[in-house]
Amino acid sequence: MEEAIVTTPSLGISNAWRATALPCGIALMGIAAAVKLAEVADWRRLLAAVLLIVVAAAALYLLSPLFQDLGNWNLLIFLVGVVALLVLAGVPIAFAFGLATYGYIALTTSKPTIVIVGRMDEGMSHLVLLAVPLFVFLGVVLELTGMAKAMVKFLASLIGHVRGGLSYVLVGGMYLVSGISGSKAADMAALAPVLFPEMRARGEKEGEMVALLAATGAQTETIPPSIVLITIGSVTGISIASLFAGGLVPALVLAVLLCFVVWWRNRKTNSGAKRAGWTEIRRVFPIALPALALPFIIRAAVIEGVATATEVSTIGIAYTIVAGLFIYRELDVRKLWPALVDTAALSGAILLIIGAATAMAWALTQSGFSNQLAQAMKVLPGGATGFMVVSIIAFVVLGSVLEGIPAIVVFGPLLFPIAKQFGINEIHYSMVVVLSMGIGLFAPPFGVGYYTACAISRASPSVAMKPIIGYIVALLVGTIIVAAFPWLSTGFLK
């Protein structure tokens, strides 16, 4: 209804045709859920669950007059408490976000609940998210063509004999390919299918793989071309070129610390692989070269202006298919249709999470919480150090409930002038903010990025809850080091 009055600029038709995807998708999810429920449900437990839900909803409705008098305490009740309760109860994270946001808006505000649908549509319709299904598909095609095997075989020939060798490859691989798609979910989706099958074959635990994938997502948030850095530049007026130059070393610091955790956890394990000789390395290198060149081709296309961060994923797919057909000759065209089906399903799960999180971010913004936070930070004790410490804590928390771009748009114009008043270099502060937010974004139990990594890995969120703790500690230590030594962010600026 909201989009029907909008006309698309190119086709000149009602935008309702595009927006219809959302109710159609919801209806199909409902049908699929009902069919699955009919297959597996214990009807006594189902009736008990329905009764419990009805009682809980009725109780919340009757308490709505009380909620309306609590002000921003409702943020803690709904956007923290309800989300935590639903996640612990096993509700998928997208539905936990959506239900909590619906409860907050319906019971504590006078705003129409239809706004939730509009914000979900907005969150899932961002142009840069076109890269998500394309890079998911790229990762699948890499595996189908044999390029993934060639890449892994070469990298394994270099360091595969080292304890935890492929985990180091995952850290370095994310450093190389990060940012090329404009979406962290797409970056992870491009790399995980390449490495995870071989890691599983070598006995790597599922939880360790998922935890490290999520941690590398946080580690590489400052690597150009980062959409978050571009957003900072657009809302604060900071030079984007300077932000790009300042982002590489902070990410490298975090990568070193993650590698230390990998070394510590694997110091007593046996890699199960023998060291490859130089003859073997020279033999596999030419075979792997087209695959190894792909990240550099994609990065060069973005930096040189050949293609946008969204368009460049199609270059990667075309390059991979051509290489698979004419160089590796392993691409079975009959497998492309199942690959497209898997891509659609996984992309839908990722985008639904993003849409629900965007709706929750809007609810948080409308509460006035951002202005209250800015006013409180102006009067912090400890000067610049105190401000930096609180900024790290605040953006870790914000990153756990907000996707990076909305958080920067909301809080960037408020906090960056305060940092400047304290004499903190704006590039330095940008790196600390982005790294802190990345930790929150990829840390359980609330970080959307963590659940995205689980969805890409097709793993239950519970398997990585414990293994990721060590990686999160390493990321926090790295962020503190970057905050304590401004040179790491500003040393290579012109």
Side-chain angles (χ1 to χ4, degrees), residues 88-451:
L88 292 174
V91 177
I93 189 66
F95 295 94
F97 284 169
L99 288 168
T101 304
Y102 179 83
Y104 173 76
I105 292 177
L107 300 176
T108 72
T109 73
S110 58
K111 298 177 177 65
T113 53
I114 194 175
V115 74
I116 299 173
V117 183
R119 299 290 74 75
M120 288 183 66
D121 178 62
E122 179 185 8
M124 291 185 284
S125 302
H126 198 285
L127 184 62
V128 76
L129 294 178
L130 283 173
V132 173
L134 291 170
F135 267 86
V136 171
F137 185 57
L138 174 59
V140 175
V141 174
L142 277 172
E143 194 168 359
L144 290 178
T145 58
M147 291 178 69
K149 293 179 182 177
M151 182 187 293
V152 169
K153 191 171 184 179
F154 172 69
L155 295 174
S157 70
L158 293 178
I159 59 173
H161 61 281
V162 177
R163 295 184 176 98
L166 292 183
S167 295
Y168 297 125
V169 173
L170 178 57
V171 175
M174 277 294 288
Y175 190 95
L176 287 174
V177 306
S178 183
I180 55 179
S181 69
S183 166
K184 195 57 60 181
D187 294 337
M188 294 189 295
L191 194 62
V194 175
L195 288 174
F196 277 19
E198 182 66 18
M199 293 175 77
R200 290 190 184 96
R202 296 191 177 201
E204 189 73 45
K205 295 179 180 178
E206 191 80 18
E208 283 288 339
M209 294 190 299
V210 177
L212 185 56
L213 180 65
T216 54
Q219 166 230 329
T220 54
E221 283 283 79
T222 63
I223 295 178
S226 166
I227 299 299
V228 176
L229 293 182
I230 294 173
T231 305
I232 288 178
S234 66
V235 301
T236 63
I238 302 173
S239 166
I240 294 176
S242 297
L243 288 168
F244 279 9
L248 291 170
V249 175
L252 184 61
V253 172
L254 268 62
V256 171
L257 290 171
L258 288 179
C259 287
F260 174 77
V261 176
V262 170
W263 169 80
W264 180 262
R265 291 183 172 179
N266 291 276
R267 67 192 188 281
K268 296 181 180 179
T269 62
N270 188 347
S271 67
K274 296 180 180 180
R275 181 192 295 269
W278 284 109
T279 302
E280 173 68 13
I281 294 174
R282 286 195 298 268
R283 186 183 67 82
V284 299
F285 176 68
I287 301 173
L289 186 58
L292 293 171
L294 178 61
F296 298 97
I297 292 173
I298 293 175
R299 180 66 58 80
V302 174
I303 294 177
E304 298 299 326
V306 176
T308 67
T310 303
E311 296 164 346
V312 75
S313 52
T314 60
I315 295 175
I317 292 172
Y319 173 89
T320 303
I321 290 177
V322 170
L325 288 173
F326 298 105
I327 299 177
Y328 294 96
R329 299 182 180 181
E330 290 188 23
L331 180 59
D332 186 348
V333 179
R334 292 172 297 180
K335 294 182 179 179
L336 287 179
W337 175 252
L340 287 168
V341 173
D342 289 343
T343 298
L346 183 55
S347 301
I350 294 170
L351 292 172
L352 183 61
I353 292 173
I354 294 173
T358 302
M360 189 168 72
W362 180 88
L364 183 65
T365 301
Q366 294 300 308
S367 69
F369 172 73
S370 56
N371 289 327
Q372 296 174 9
L373 176 65
Q375 293 299 322
M377 295 185 78
K378 285 182 179 178
V379 295
L380 287 172
T385 302
F387 176 76
M388 189 68 85
V389 170
V390 174
S391 292
I392 292 173
I393 297 172
F395 276 98
V396 168
V397 174
L398 291 172
S400 68
V401 295
L402 290 175
E403 198 267 332
I405 292 176
I408 290 299
V409 171
V410 173
F411 294 100
L414 297 173
L415 297 181
F416 275 77
I418 301 174
K420 193 172 184 179
Q421 292 175 13
F422 280 114
I424 300 173
N425 182 279
E426 55 192 7
I427 303 296
H428 177 214
Y429 187 65
S430 298
M431 297 306 122
V432 174
V433 162
V434 173
L435 292 177
S436 301
M437 195 162 50
I439 294 172
L441 184 63
F442 286 90
F446 304 119
V448 176
Y450 173 76
Y451 296 98

Side-chain angles (χ1 to χ4, degrees), residues 53-68 78 102-103 106-108:
I53 292 169
V54 170
V55 170
L60 289 171
Y61 177 78
L62 293 174
L63 290 172
S64 59
L66 175 62
F67 291 140
Q68 293 177 9
F78 286 91
Y102 179 83
L107 300 176
T108 72

